[in-house]
Amino acid sequence: MTVKTRFAPSPTGYLHIGGARTALFSWLYARKHGGSFVLRVEDTDQERSTQESVNAILEGMTWLGLEYDEGPFYQTRRFDRYREVIQRLLDEGKAYKCYCSKERLDALREEQQKRKEKPRYDGKCRDLTEPPSPDAPYVVRFRNPLEGQVVVDDRVHGRVAFSNTELDDLIIARTDGSPTYNLTVVVDDMDMGISHVIRGDDHLNNTPRQVNILHALGVEAPVYAHVPMILGEDGKRLSKRHGAVSVMSYRDEGYLPEAVLNYLVRLGWSHGDQEIFSLDEMIQLFDIDDLNAKASALNVSKLNWLNQQYMKAMDPAHVARHLSWHMGQLGVDPAQGPALEDIVVAQRERSHTLVEMARNSLFFYRMPESYDDKAARKNLKADTRPALEALRAALAAAPEWQRERLHETVTGVAESLDLKLGKVAQPLRVALSGGPVSPPIDETLELLGRDRSLARIDAALQFIDQQGQAAG
Ligand code: GLU
């Protein structure tokens, strides 16, 4: 069987993290089997669908690198095809026109509720031969089998049986002729030759209806795998309360797409106790049969850990491209300072996210606006002035601006003043970076360059003098 999977989002908001995970599972499954992956935009709800949201979904897919082989297909462009299928079902007696008024259906529902029955259509128009009047408005209902059951062999939930007596004669076309959700999904899955439907388990209840319609159209139902939802860290259903859950907010918060994919694949799937998977490994090892039937919860500390692992293991040039975007967000032009690749190498042990890395690296590109209060009080004062002055002179004279040589210069100054290295290096660090934390001092000096380093020491000396005047 040729494997063909699809991701079929409704464009009524951003690309949600749960949707992205479903897309990833579908993509992995197609890649694993040398099949293809289809992107289908289910935009028939014209009141809730927006172009903005379509764009957000495409942007999210691109950022994650989940490239599709076919599509995007838009359901709103396939109305003729849906109409054709509805007509075919009518012609073959597998669907019928229902003229029941809203009032009648409301009254029916009320009665059923009073009798504590599940509300369902009573089939009044099922065997009607003539319309009540020639131009009476109607909906089209699918003629669901009255007996038997639909058995779905779900690859995640196992065998699930639905009795046909529980299923309504579903409306497949509204009074204005527009198709309804279950009909469009069925027609698309059929026409697009989808072999495996991997989707959220909120759709499990739609599945028997879709299977019945597919059978009425004379085609085999695809294989289904209904993936449980993702919960918030507190184990509750994911909602706005849990903060940003759109894929692009993960970019904004400083995660690498590769780390997000790794994080997502582990939400509901595992392979022994392995945590880190390259894309190739994911493709090789992933299987829908191994998906967990229980919902899994977000875990930000795990994501932070994973992200750092990726920042440390990946080619610095690749990480630098992502870091560059974040520097841009902070208003920094990375061309005006050290190469970002070198910054990545210098900072990746100290940062969990690219946002953190960008913030901690700002000082390489622009003079800090002010000093960290506590660090300045401790390190930029009359006592430390001689050390900074000696450093300035030694650094100005340093023959070579290179890490090891710079290390020797700084230790040389400490020795000449009979001070511990920290007593010299820490004031220098605050002078250069504005705060108490930076990469090792020699590396910081090297990256910053001679001119900037000397200028910052001068500024720190001036700051000390001003403080002294203010106090005096
Ligand atoms: N459009 C549906 C949704 O966004 C998905 C339908 C499906 O995967 O069959 O929830």
Side-chain angles (χ1 to χ4, degrees):
M1 178 179 25
T2 320
V3 168
K4 205 173 194 187
T5 61
R6 83 311 194 265
F7 176 49
S10 303
T12 54
Y14 43 66
L15 177 57
H16 188 271
I17 196 74
R21 185 189 57 158
T22 309
L24 170 63
F25 290 161
S26 302
W27 182 87
L28 284 174
Y29 198 71
R31 289 289 169 271
K32 179 185 179 75
H33 293 280
S36 45
F37 173 60
V38 175
L39 177 62
R40 179 167 90 216
V41 179
E42 303 204 321
D43 55 352
T44 53
D45 183 345
Q46 296 189 28
E47 264 167 38
R48 294 177 60 224
S49 302
T50 63
Q51 185 57 44
E52 213 185 335
S53 157
V54 172
N55 296 345
I57 290 167
L58 298 178
E59 185 188 23
M61 299 285 286
T62 305
W63 184 71
L64 286 172
L66 298 178
E67 77 279 14
Y68 29 93
D69 307 292
E70 289 175 38
F73 296 113
Y74 294 87
Q75 290 193 322
T76 41
R77 300 196 194 148
R78 289 177 43 80
F79 273 67
D80 287 348
R81 174 62 182 146
Y82 304 136
R83 232 166 261 137
E84 190 180 287
V85 173
I86 292 163
Q87 192 55 51
R88 179 182 147 196
L89 287 168
L90 278 171
D91 293 345
E92 293 177 359
K94 291 168 178 163
Y96 61 92
K97 296 176 180 174
C98 168
Y99 300 90
C100 291
S101 65
K102 184 174 174 304
E103 290 70 30
R104 175 174 189 273
L105 295 174
D106 286 348
L108 179 67
R109 187 173 323 112
E110 229 171 87
E111 266 174 47
Q112 289 169 332
Q113 277 166 346
K114 244 187 251 159
R115 292 200 298 266
K116 304 243 178 310
E117 289 169 18
K118 198 170 151 196
R120 63 200 304 272
Y121 182 60
D122 62 355
K124 179 167 186 286
C125 298
R126 214 174 143 103
D127 299 311
L128 216 60
T129 42
E130 290 295 318
S133 64
D135 50 6
Y138 62 84
V139 298
V140 178
R141 287 185 187 270
F142 175 67
R143 195 184 294 276
N144 199 76
L146 295 174
E147 291 162 2
Q149 52 176 13
V150 185
V151 176
V152 179
D153 256 317
D154 190 85
R155 294 280 286 268
V156 177
H157 291 271
R159 186 177 181 277
V160 195
F162 300 84
S163 165
N164 271 320
T165 55
E166 293 288 311
L167 303 175
D168 245 0
D169 280 354
L170 187 78
I171 297 177
I172 55 174
R174 303 184 185 89
T175 320
D176 62 3
S178 62
T180 57
Y181 167 72
N182 281 295
L183 189 276
T184 58
V185 169
V186 160
V187 175
D188 287 352
D189 285 342
M190 172 176 78
D191 286 356
M192 294 169 191
I194 302 300
S195 65
H196 292 72
V197 168
I198 301 171
R199 62 182 172 195
D201 65 5
D202 47 335
H203 288 287
L204 187 56
N205 283 331
N206 285 324
T207 307
R209 306 172 191 284
Q210 296 180 5
V211 169
N212 278 339
I213 304 177
L214 284 165
H215 286 164
L217 290 167
V219 295
E220 281 288 317
V223 174
Y224 291 97
H226 285 92
V227 182
M229 59 180 145
I230 299 180
L231 305 174
E233 289 211 72
D234 53 3
K236 302 223 169 80
R237 207 194 154 96
L238 209 54
S239 74
K240 292 239 162 61
R241 267 184 312 115
H242 294 98
V245 286
S246 88
V247 167
M248 297 321 284
S249 67
Y250 283 77
R251 174 198 60 185
D252 298 350
E253 287 172 15
Y255 300 106
L256 288 165
E258 294 81 2
V260 173
L261 288 176
N262 194 144
Y263 175 61
L264 286 178
V265 83
R266 286 283 294 105
L267 287 174
W269 175 80
S270 56
H271 180 74
D273 46 20
Q274 186 172 340
E275 286 294 353
I276 297 182
F277 298 86
S278 69
L279 263 191
D280 283 345
E281 276 178 306
M282 281 187 214
I283 293 170
Q284 204 191 338
L285 299 170
F286 177 78
D287 201 340
I288 46 179
D289 292 322
D290 299 332
L291 286 174
N292 202 328
K294 283 207 307 279
S296 28
L298 292 178
N299 180 344
V300 177
S301 41
K302 180 141 163 213
L303 174 59
N304 285 336
W305 175 79
L306 267 173
N307 200 57
Q308 186 175 36
Q309 299 304 310
Y310 272 85
M311 292 200 297
K312 290 201 312 207
M314 290 189 103
D315 177 5
H318 175 81
V319 181
R321 275 196 292 281
H322 288 279
L323 180 63
S324 172
W325 184 84
H326 287 280
M327 295 306 264
Q329 293 299 107
L330 295 175
V332 166
D333 173 5
Q336 308 302 315
L340 275 181
E341 280 177 60
D342 298 335
I343 295 293
V344 169
V345 175
Q347 296 282 41
R348 60 190 173 185
E349 295 291 338
R350 256 171 304 279
S351 324
H352 287 96
T353 68
L354 293 160
V355 166
E356 205 182 332
M357 190 182 269
R359 287 201 187 122
N360 292 341
S361 305
L362 270 181
F363 77 88
F364 284 112
Y365 298 88
R366 64 182 182 216
M367 180 88 179
E369 274 157 30
S370 60
Y371 297 106
D372 173 271
D373 249 356
K374 197 169 151 211
R377 246 181 288 129
K378 199 159 162 229
N379 296 286
L380 302 184
K381 52 183 186 183
D383 286 6
T384 61
R385 200 178 196 292
L388 281 170
E389 254 179 299
L391 279 165
R392 196 206 184 283
L395 290 168
E400 213 187 329
W401 202 262
Q402 187 270 340
R403 192 173 170 172
E404 281 82 27
R405 297 287 89 75
L406 290 165
H407 181 77
E408 287 163 16
T409 306
V410 177
T411 43
V413 168
E415 275 162 23
S416 71
L417 296 175
D418 203 16
L419 288 172
K420 281 204 190 120
L421 181 62
K423 291 277 175 214
V424 173
Q426 198 58 6
L428 179 57
R429 171 170 285 117
V430 179
L432 299 178
S433 73
V437 192
S438 83
I441 201 69
D442 47 1
E443 201 176 358
T444 302
L445 282 165
E446 185 185 57
L447 283 168
L448 205 50
R450 191 193 304 259
D451 292 349
R452 283 181 199 234
S453 299
L454 295 181
R456 292 200 189 170
I457 298 173
D458 288 340
L461 290 169
Q462 218 177 8
F463 173 84
I464 294 173
D465 293 344
Q466 284 164 357
Q467 298 297 105
Q469 278 163 18

